[in-house]
Amino acid sequence: MSQLHIINHPLITHKLSIMRNKKTGSKDFRELLNEIAMLMGYELTRDLPLEDVTIDTPIQKMKAKMISGKKLAIVPILRAGLGMVDGLQSLVPVAKVGHIGLYRDPETHKPVEYYCKLPLDIEDRIVILVDPMLATGGSASDALTMLKARGCKHIRFMCLVAAPEGVKKVQDDHPDVDIYTAALDERLNEHAYIVPGLGDAGDRIFGTL
């Protein structure tokens, strides 16, 4: 069964509280989102396997440990997911980046696909799918389905704020995908926005309010 990981480190919680404030402008919002993504990345990559290698220090040879096995790919759900890429890439600069384009239909609240571009070897990588908000779970679930259709078997989903409805949707549809979030909020409102949430993350990142 999919596991829900709430990464409520004090630094993350503090930065998220600033982001929730409606007075926080786009510049600060973007910077904080990057910082939180990087901090969350430490926990999300905690179980990456290590292997022994031999290196030369300035003093002598030694056995050291380095990350082994599958390489990483970061896949943001456009457009808001772009705000989390730089923070993760600062941890793993060699990670390849794909893009999935989905938008929420304002009438049905269901996701509509309009773009998908992934690394050629995506099926051989551990994929980190990122989107700041996990609201209804529709976009995340559809994006996960798209990744699996292209051969991905090792996927993790990372968001900033989640609603219980979205968590349930992803866990029901993709019980093999763990969810990492900085906060689990109360519920969705009648417009399918997370309560208390932080508004529309894409609009706040790009200043299109």
Side-chain angles (χ1 to χ4, degrees), residues 94-110:
V94 297
K96 290 189 176 180
V97 179
H99 299 86
I100 290 178
L102 295 169
Y103 69 90
R104 185 171 63 174
D105 185 286
E107 298 297 327
T108 65
H109 304 308
K110 293 182 178 179

Side-chain angles (χ1 to χ4, degrees), residues 127-165:
V127 179
I128 304 173
L129 180 68
V130 296
D131 194 3
M133 313 303 285
L134 179 59
T136 65
S139 294
S141 181
D142 279 12
L144 289 167
T145 298
M146 291 166 64
L147 289 171
K148 289 179 179 179
R150 288 160 175 81
C152 300
K153 298 179 180 64
H154 305 281
I155 314 171
R156 303 167 187 200
F157 177 74
M158 187 175 89
C159 62
L160 187 66
V161 177
E165 295 91 333

Side-chain angles (χ1 to χ4, degrees), residues 79-103:
R79 62 182 169 145
L82 289 171
M84 304 178 79
V85 173
D86 287 349
L88 287 173
Q89 276 201 303
S90 65
L91 287 180
V92 192
V94 297
K96 290 189 176 180
V97 179
H99 299 86
I100 290 178
L102 295 169
Y103 69 90

Side-chain angles (χ1 to χ4, degrees), residues 18 51 58 69 75-76 79 91 93 102 118-119 151-152 162 181 188:
I18 299 173
E51 65 181 0
V75 179
R79 62 182 169 145
L91 287 180
L102 295 169
L118 302 171
C152 300
T181 185
L188 297 179

Side-chain angles (χ1 to χ4, degrees), residues 56-204:
D56 286 313
T57 77
I59 309 301
Q60 66 174 45
K61 287 185 181 293
M62 69 165 285
K63 284 198 177 296
K65 292 187 180 295
M66 298 186 73
I67 292 174
S68 67
K70 296 182 183 296
K71 296 179 179 179
L72 293 177
I74 304 164
V75 179
I77 298 176
L78 301 178
R79 62 182 169 145
L82 289 171
M84 304 178 79
V85 173
D86 287 349
L88 287 173
Q89 276 201 303
S90 65
L91 287 180
V92 192
V94 297
K96 290 189 176 180
V97 179
H99 299 86
I100 290 178
L102 295 169
Y103 69 90
R104 185 171 63 174
D105 185 286
E107 298 297 327
T108 65
H109 304 308
K110 293 182 178 179
V112 179
E113 174 190 342
Y114 65 90
Y115 186 75
C116 183
K117 180 71 172 178
L118 302 171
L120 292 177
D121 61 349
I122 189 73
E123 70 276 4
D124 297 323
R125 293 175 176 266
I126 296 173
V127 179
I128 304 173
L129 180 68
V130 296
D131 194 3
M133 313 303 285
L134 179 59
T136 65
S139 294
S141 181
D142 279 12
L144 289 167
T145 298
M146 291 166 64
L147 289 171
K148 289 179 179 179
R150 288 160 175 81
C152 300
K153 298 179 180 64
H154 305 281
I155 314 171
R156 303 167 187 200
F157 177 74
M158 187 175 89
C159 62
L160 187 66
V161 177
E165 295 91 333
V167 171
K168 184 178 186 306
K169 171 72 173 173
V170 171
Q171 289 183 327
D172 287 348
D173 293 351
H174 301 280
D176 56 329
V177 176
D178 281 3
I179 301 167
Y180 295 78
T181 185
L184 179 64
D185 278 13
E186 297 172 12
R187 58 182 173 84
L188 297 179
N189 66 14
E190 63 274 16
H191 302 295
Y193 278 95
I194 299 175
V195 177
L198 47 72
D200 187 296
D203 283 340
R204 297 196 66 186

